PDB file of all heavy atoms in Angstrom:
ATOM      1  N   THR L   1      82.170  37.135  17.251  1.00 95.00           N
ATOM      2  CA  THR L   1      83.219  36.203  17.660  1.00 95.00           C
ATOM      3  C   THR L   1      84.531  36.969  17.771  1.00 95.00           C
ATOM      4  O   THR L   1      84.668  38.073  17.236  1.00 95.00           O
ATOM      5  CB  THR L   1      83.420  35.065  16.635  1.00 95.00           C
ATOM      6  OG1 THR L   1      84.021  35.605  15.444  1.00 95.00           O
ATOM      7  CG2 THR L   1      82.100  34.397  16.271  1.00 95.00           C
ATOM      8  N   ASN L   2      85.481  36.377  18.470  1.00 95.00           N
ATOM      9  CA  ASN L   2      86.826  36.935  18.411  1.00 95.00           C
ATOM     10  C   ASN L   2      87.590  36.263  17.265  1.00 95.00           C
ATOM     11  O   ASN L   2      87.079  35.341  16.602  1.00 95.00           O
ATOM     12  CB  ASN L   2      87.556  36.801  19.747  1.00 95.00           C
ATOM     13  CG  ASN L   2      87.787  35.352  20.152  1.00 95.00           C
ATOM     14  OD1 ASN L   2      87.393  34.413  19.464  1.00 95.00           O
ATOM     15  ND2 ASN L   2      88.445  35.161  21.287  1.00 95.00           N
ATOM     16  N   GLU L   3      88.793  36.728  17.012  1.00 94.00           N
ATOM     17  CA  GLU L   3      89.567  36.193  15.888  1.00 94.00           C
ATOM     18  C   GLU L   3      89.928  34.731  16.103  1.00 94.00           C
ATOM     19  O   GLU L   3      89.967  33.944  15.156  1.00 94.00           O
ATOM     20  CB  GLU L   3      90.824  37.038  15.674  1.00 94.00           C
ATOM     21  CG  GLU L   3      90.547  38.456  15.205  1.00 94.00           C
ATOM     22  CD  GLU L   3      91.829  39.220  14.908  1.00 94.00           C
ATOM     23  OE1 GLU L   3      92.899  38.571  14.847  1.00 94.00           O
ATOM     24  OE2 GLU L   3      91.759  40.438  14.736  1.00 94.00           O
ATOM     25  N   ALA L   4      90.174  34.349  17.341  1.00 95.00           N
ATOM     26  CA  ALA L   4      90.524  32.953  17.625  1.00 95.00           C
ATOM     27  C   ALA L   4      89.377  32.017  17.258  1.00 95.00           C
ATOM     28  O   ALA L   4      89.603  30.927  16.728  1.00 95.00           O
ATOM     29  CB  ALA L   4      90.891  32.792  19.094  1.00 95.00           C
ATOM     30  N   ALA L   5      88.141  32.429  17.530  1.00 95.00           N
ATOM     31  CA  ALA L   5      86.991  31.601  17.178  1.00 95.00           C
ATOM     32  C   ALA L   5      86.879  31.460  15.672  1.00 95.00           C
ATOM     33  O   ALA L   5      86.574  30.371  15.157  1.00 95.00           O
ATOM     34  CB  ALA L   5      85.717  32.203  17.763  1.00 95.00           C
ATOM     35  N   GLN L   6      87.110  32.526  14.952  1.00 93.00           N
ATOM     36  CA  GLN L   6      87.054  32.455  13.494  1.00 93.00           C
ATOM     37  C   GLN L   6      88.116  31.492  12.959  1.00 93.00           C
ATOM     38  O   GLN L   6      87.838  30.681  12.070  1.00 93.00           O
ATOM     39  CB  GLN L   6      87.240  33.850  12.902  1.00 93.00           C
ATOM     40  CG  GLN L   6      86.112  34.818  13.247  1.00 93.00           C
ATOM     41  CD  GLN L   6      86.334  36.191  12.650  1.00 93.00           C
ATOM     42  OE1 GLN L   6      86.987  36.347  11.619  1.00 93.00           O
ATOM     43  NE2 GLN L   6      85.813  37.211  13.308  1.00 93.00           N
ATOM     44  N   ARG L   7      89.311  31.569  13.517  1.00 94.00           N
ATOM     45  CA  ARG L   7      90.378  30.664  13.067  1.00 94.00           C
ATOM     46  C   ARG L   7      90.058  29.219  13.450  1.00 94.00           C
ATOM     47  O   ARG L   7      90.298  28.293  12.669  1.00 94.00           O
ATOM     48  CB  ARG L   7      91.715  31.080  13.671  1.00 94.00           C
ATOM     49  CG  ARG L   7      92.236  32.417  13.180  1.00 94.00           C
ATOM     50  CD  ARG L   7      93.653  32.664  13.683  1.00 94.00           C
ATOM     51  NE  ARG L   7      94.127  33.979  13.282  1.00 94.00           N
ATOM     52  CZ  ARG L   7      93.987  35.076  13.998  1.00 94.00           C
ATOM     53  NH1 ARG L   7      93.404  35.017  15.184  1.00 94.00           N
ATOM     54  NH2 ARG L   7      94.423  36.239  13.561  1.00 94.00           N
ATOM     55  N   PHE L   8      89.510  29.040  14.645  1.00 95.00           N
ATOM     56  CA  PHE L   8      89.203  27.698  15.127  1.00 95.00           C
ATOM     57  C   PHE L   8      88.129  27.040  14.270  1.00 95.00           C
ATOM     58  O   PHE L   8      88.280  25.895  13.828  1.00 95.00           O
ATOM     59  CB  PHE L   8      88.768  27.765  16.589  1.00 95.00           C
ATOM     60  CG  PHE L   8      88.458  26.429  17.193  1.00 95.00           C
ATOM     61  CD1 PHE L   8      89.432  25.451  17.296  1.00 95.00           C
ATOM     62  CD2 PHE L   8      87.182  26.140  17.663  1.00 95.00           C
ATOM     63  CE1 PHE L   8      89.152  24.209  17.858  1.00 95.00           C
ATOM     64  CE2 PHE L   8      86.898  24.915  18.223  1.00 95.00           C
ATOM     65  CZ  PHE L   8      87.879  23.946  18.320  1.00 95.00           C
ATOM     66  N   PHE L   9      87.030  27.753  14.029  1.00 93.00           N
ATOM     67  CA  PHE L   9      85.972  27.197  13.190  1.00 93.00           C
ATOM     68  C   PHE L   9      86.465  26.989  11.764  1.00 93.00           C
ATOM     69  O   PHE L   9      86.087  26.018  11.097  1.00 93.00           O
ATOM     70  CB  PHE L   9      84.748  28.116  13.198  1.00 93.00           C
ATOM     71  CG  PHE L   9      84.040  28.173  14.519  1.00 93.00           C
ATOM     72  CD1 PHE L   9      83.614  29.389  15.046  1.00 93.00           C
ATOM     73  CD2 PHE L   9      83.807  27.024  15.255  1.00 93.00           C
ATOM     74  CE1 PHE L   9      82.963  29.440  16.270  1.00 93.00           C
ATOM     75  CE2 PHE L   9      83.153  27.067  16.484  1.00 93.00           C
ATOM     76  CZ  PHE L   9      82.735  28.276  16.983  1.00 93.00           C
ATOM     77  N   GLY L  10      87.314  27.895  11.302  1.00 92.00           N
ATOM     78  CA  GLY L  10      87.871  27.728   9.973  1.00 92.00           C
ATOM     79  C   GLY L  10      88.757  26.500   9.880  1.00 92.00           C
ATOM     80  O   GLY L  10      88.754  25.795   8.872  1.00 92.00           O
ATOM     81  N   LEU L  11      89.509  26.227  10.949  1.00 93.00           N
ATOM     82  CA  LEU L  11      90.371  25.053  10.975  1.00 93.00           C
ATOM     83  C   LEU L  11      89.550  23.773  10.891  1.00 93.00           C
ATOM     84  O   LEU L  11      89.906  22.837  10.174  1.00 93.00           O
ATOM     85  CB  LEU L  11      91.203  25.056  12.262  1.00 93.00           C
ATOM     86  CG  LEU L  11      92.115  23.848  12.502  1.00 93.00           C
ATOM     87  CD1 LEU L  11      93.246  23.819  11.480  1.00 93.00           C
ATOM     88  CD2 LEU L  11      92.694  23.898  13.919  1.00 93.00           C
ATOM     89  N   LEU L  12      88.426  23.735  11.589  1.00 93.00           N
ATOM     90  CA  LEU L  12      87.604  22.529  11.616  1.00 93.00           C
ATOM     91  C   LEU L  12      86.700  22.406  10.392  1.00 93.00           C
ATOM     92  O   LEU L  12      86.554  21.319   9.823  1.00 93.00           O
ATOM     93  CB  LEU L  12      86.739  22.504  12.884  1.00 93.00           C
ATOM     94  CG  LEU L  12      87.487  22.450  14.220  1.00 93.00           C
ATOM     95  CD1 LEU L  12      86.484  22.477  15.375  1.00 93.00           C
ATOM     96  CD2 LEU L  12      88.355  21.199  14.318  1.00 93.00           C
ATOM     97  N   LEU L  13      86.102  23.518  10.000  1.00 90.00           N
ATOM     98  CA  LEU L  13      85.074  23.478   8.960  1.00 90.00           C
ATOM     99  C   LEU L  13      85.585  23.854   7.579  1.00 90.00           C
ATOM    100  O   LEU L  13      84.862  23.710   6.598  1.00 90.00           O
ATOM    101  CB  LEU L  13      83.919  24.412   9.347  1.00 90.00           C
ATOM    102  CG  LEU L  13      83.242  24.103  10.691  1.00 90.00           C
ATOM    103  CD1 LEU L  13      82.182  25.157  10.993  1.00 90.00           C
ATOM    104  CD2 LEU L  13      82.641  22.714  10.679  1.00 90.00           C
ATOM    105  N   GLY L  14      86.806  24.355   7.516  1.00 84.00           N
ATOM    106  CA  GLY L  14      87.365  24.685   6.211  1.00 84.00           C
ATOM    107  C   GLY L  14      87.173  26.122   5.810  1.00 84.00           C
ATOM    108  O   GLY L  14      87.750  26.581   4.830  1.00 84.00           O
ATOM    109  N   GLU L  15      86.328  26.851   6.536  1.00 69.00           N
ATOM    110  CA  GLU L  15      86.142  28.268   6.254  1.00 69.00           C
ATOM    111  C   GLU L  15      85.729  28.965   7.541  1.00 69.00           C
ATOM    112  O   GLU L  15      85.073  28.366   8.399  1.00 69.00           O
ATOM    113  CB  GLU L  15      85.073  28.489   5.185  1.00 69.00           C
ATOM    114  CG  GLU L  15      83.714  27.927   5.552  1.00 69.00           C
ATOM    115  CD  GLU L  15      82.698  28.116   4.438  1.00 69.00           C
ATOM    116  OE1 GLU L  15      83.104  28.314   3.281  1.00 69.00           O
ATOM    117  OE2 GLU L  15      81.500  28.071   4.737  1.00 69.00           O
ATOM    118  N   PRO L  16      86.101  30.237   7.691  1.00 58.00           N
ATOM    119  CA  PRO L  16      85.741  30.952   8.920  1.00 58.00           C
ATOM    120  C   PRO L  16      84.236  31.062   9.069  1.00 58.00           C
ATOM    121  O   PRO L  16      83.498  31.147   8.097  1.00 58.00           O
ATOM    122  CB  PRO L  16      86.391  32.335   8.732  1.00 58.00           C
ATOM    123  CG  PRO L  16      87.434  32.128   7.679  1.00 58.00           C
ATOM    124  CD  PRO L  16      86.924  31.046   6.778  1.00 58.00           C
ATOM    125  N   THR L  17      83.781  31.039  10.323  1.00 56.00           N
ATOM    126  CA  THR L  17      82.359  31.212  10.616  1.00 56.00           C
ATOM    127  C   THR L  17      82.121  32.675  10.942  1.00 56.00           C
ATOM    128  O   THR L  17      82.667  33.202  11.901  1.00 56.00           O
ATOM    129  CB  THR L  17      81.938  30.332  11.807  1.00 56.00           C
ATOM    130  OG1 THR L  17      82.141  28.959  11.451  1.00 56.00           O
ATOM    131  CG2 THR L  17      80.466  30.551  12.149  1.00 56.00           C
ATOM    132  N   SER L  18      81.293  33.323  10.129  1.00 55.00           N
ATOM    133  CA  SER L  18      81.024  34.738  10.346  1.00 55.00           C
ATOM    134  C   SER L  18      79.833  34.912  11.268  1.00 55.00           C
ATOM    135  O   SER L  18      78.911  34.097  11.286  1.00 55.00           O
ATOM    136  CB  SER L  18      80.749  35.433   9.006  1.00 55.00           C
ATOM    137  OG  SER L  18      79.641  34.835   8.354  1.00 55.00           O
ATOM    138  N   ALA L  19      79.857  35.992  12.060  1.00 53.00           N
ATOM    139  CA  ALA L  19      78.752  36.278  12.967  1.00 53.00           C
ATOM    140  C   ALA L  19      77.481  36.491  12.171  1.00 53.00           C
ATOM    141  O   ALA L  19      77.492  37.086  11.098  1.00 53.00           O
ATOM    142  CB  ALA L  19      79.076  37.513  13.809  1.00 53.00           C
ATOM    143  N   GLY L  20      76.378  36.030  12.688  1.00 54.00           N
ATOM    144  CA  GLY L  20      75.101  36.204  12.024  1.00 54.00           C
ATOM    145  C   GLY L  20      74.758  35.096  11.053  1.00 54.00           C
ATOM    146  O   GLY L  20      73.648  35.036  10.543  1.00 54.00           O
ATOM    147  N   SER L  21      75.692  34.182  10.768  1.00 65.00           N
ATOM    148  CA  SER L  21      75.437  33.118   9.799  1.00 65.00           C
ATOM    149  C   SER L  21      75.469  31.749  10.430  1.00 65.00           C
ATOM    150  O   SER L  21      75.289  30.756   9.733  1.00 65.00           O
ATOM    151  CB  SER L  21      76.479  33.182   8.668  1.00 65.00           C
ATOM    152  OG  SER L  21      77.765  32.860   9.172  1.00 65.00           O
ATOM    153  N   ALA L  22      75.696  31.664  11.736  1.00 89.00           N
ATOM    154  CA  ALA L  22      75.865  30.353  12.375  1.00 89.00           C
ATOM    155  C   ALA L  22      75.049  30.282  13.646  1.00 89.00           C
ATOM    156  O   ALA L  22      74.792  31.282  14.312  1.00 89.00           O
ATOM    157  CB  ALA L  22      77.342  30.101  12.672  1.00 89.00           C
ATOM    158  N   ASN L  23      74.638  29.066  13.956  1.00 93.00           N
ATOM    159  CA  ASN L  23      73.900  28.788  15.176  1.00 93.00           C
ATOM    160  C   ASN L  23      74.625  27.675  15.910  1.00 93.00           C
ATOM    161  O   ASN L  23      74.927  26.629  15.328  1.00 93.00           O
ATOM    162  CB  ASN L  23      72.462  28.377  14.833  1.00 93.00           C
ATOM    163  CG  ASN L  23      71.637  28.037  16.046  1.00 93.00           C
ATOM    164  OD1 ASN L  23      71.714  26.931  16.579  1.00 93.00           O
ATOM    165  ND2 ASN L  23      70.830  28.981  16.483  1.00 93.00           N
ATOM    166  N   VAL L  24      74.926  27.876  17.181  1.00 93.00           N
ATOM    167  CA  VAL L  24      75.753  26.940  17.931  1.00 93.00           C
ATOM    168  C   VAL L  24      75.114  25.555  18.000  1.00 93.00           C
ATOM    169  O   VAL L  24      75.780  24.535  17.829  1.00 93.00           O
ATOM    170  CB  VAL L  24      76.021  27.482  19.347  1.00 93.00           C
ATOM    171  CG1 VAL L  24      76.676  26.421  20.214  1.00 93.00           C
ATOM    172  CG2 VAL L  24      76.893  28.724  19.283  1.00 93.00           C
ATOM    173  N   VAL L  25      73.812  25.496  18.239  1.00 92.00           N
ATOM    174  CA  VAL L  25      73.144  24.209  18.360  1.00 92.00           C
ATOM    175  C   VAL L  25      73.169  23.463  17.032  1.00 92.00           C
ATOM    176  O   VAL L  25      73.470  22.263  16.973  1.00 92.00           O
ATOM    177  CB  VAL L  25      71.702  24.389  18.859  1.00 92.00           C
ATOM    178  CG1 VAL L  25      70.977  23.054  18.907  1.00 92.00           C
ATOM    179  CG2 VAL L  25      71.697  25.042  20.231  1.00 92.00           C
ATOM    180  N   ARG L  26      72.862  24.149  15.951  1.00 93.00           N
ATOM    181  CA  ARG L  26      72.892  23.506  14.634  1.00 93.00           C
ATOM    182  C   ARG L  26      74.308  23.026  14.300  1.00 93.00           C
ATOM    183  O   ARG L  26      74.492  21.939  13.762  1.00 93.00           O
ATOM    184  CB  ARG L  26      72.400  24.466  13.559  1.00 93.00           C
ATOM    185  CG  ARG L  26      70.907  24.776  13.622  1.00 93.00           C
ATOM    186  CD  ARG L  26      70.450  25.510  12.371  1.00 93.00           C
ATOM    187  NE  ARG L  26      69.035  25.837  12.445  1.00 93.00           N
ATOM    188  CZ  ARG L  26      68.559  27.012  12.828  1.00 93.00           C
ATOM    189  NH1 ARG L  26      69.399  27.979  13.173  1.00 93.00           N
ATOM    190  NH2 ARG L  26      67.263  27.242  12.867  1.00 93.00           N
ATOM    191  N   MET L  27      75.295  23.843  14.587  1.00 93.00           N
ATOM    192  CA  MET L  27      76.670  23.459  14.298  1.00 93.00           C
ATOM    193  C   MET L  27      77.070  22.199  15.062  1.00 93.00           C
ATOM    194  O   MET L  27      77.786  21.344  14.542  1.00 93.00           O
ATOM    195  CB  MET L  27      77.625  24.609  14.636  1.00 93.00           C
ATOM    196  CG  MET L  27      77.511  25.810  13.721  1.00 93.00           C
ATOM    197  SD  MET L  27      78.477  27.223  14.310  1.00 93.00           S
ATOM    198  CE  MET L  27      80.136  26.580  14.146  1.00 93.00           C
ATOM    199  N   MET L  28      76.596  22.084  16.314  1.00 93.00           N
ATOM    200  CA  MET L  28      76.979  20.948  17.133  1.00 93.00           C
ATOM    201  C   MET L  28      76.260  19.663  16.727  1.00 93.00           C
ATOM    202  O   MET L  28      76.800  18.566  16.865  1.00 93.00           O
ATOM    203  CB  MET L  28      76.713  21.255  18.608  1.00 93.00           C
ATOM    204  CG  MET L  28      77.238  20.206  19.567  1.00 93.00           C
ATOM    205  SD  MET L  28      79.038  19.959  19.447  1.00 93.00           S
ATOM    206  CE  MET L  28      79.631  21.542  20.068  1.00 93.00           C
TER     207      MET L  28
END
C-alpha cells in the first residue's frame, strides 16, 4: 500500500492496515 492507504484504513478501522494481513473482499 502507499502511505495514504495506511492512513485511510487507519482512520476508518482505528489502526493501519499492513500489507499481507488484509484482504479487500473480506474487508468490504
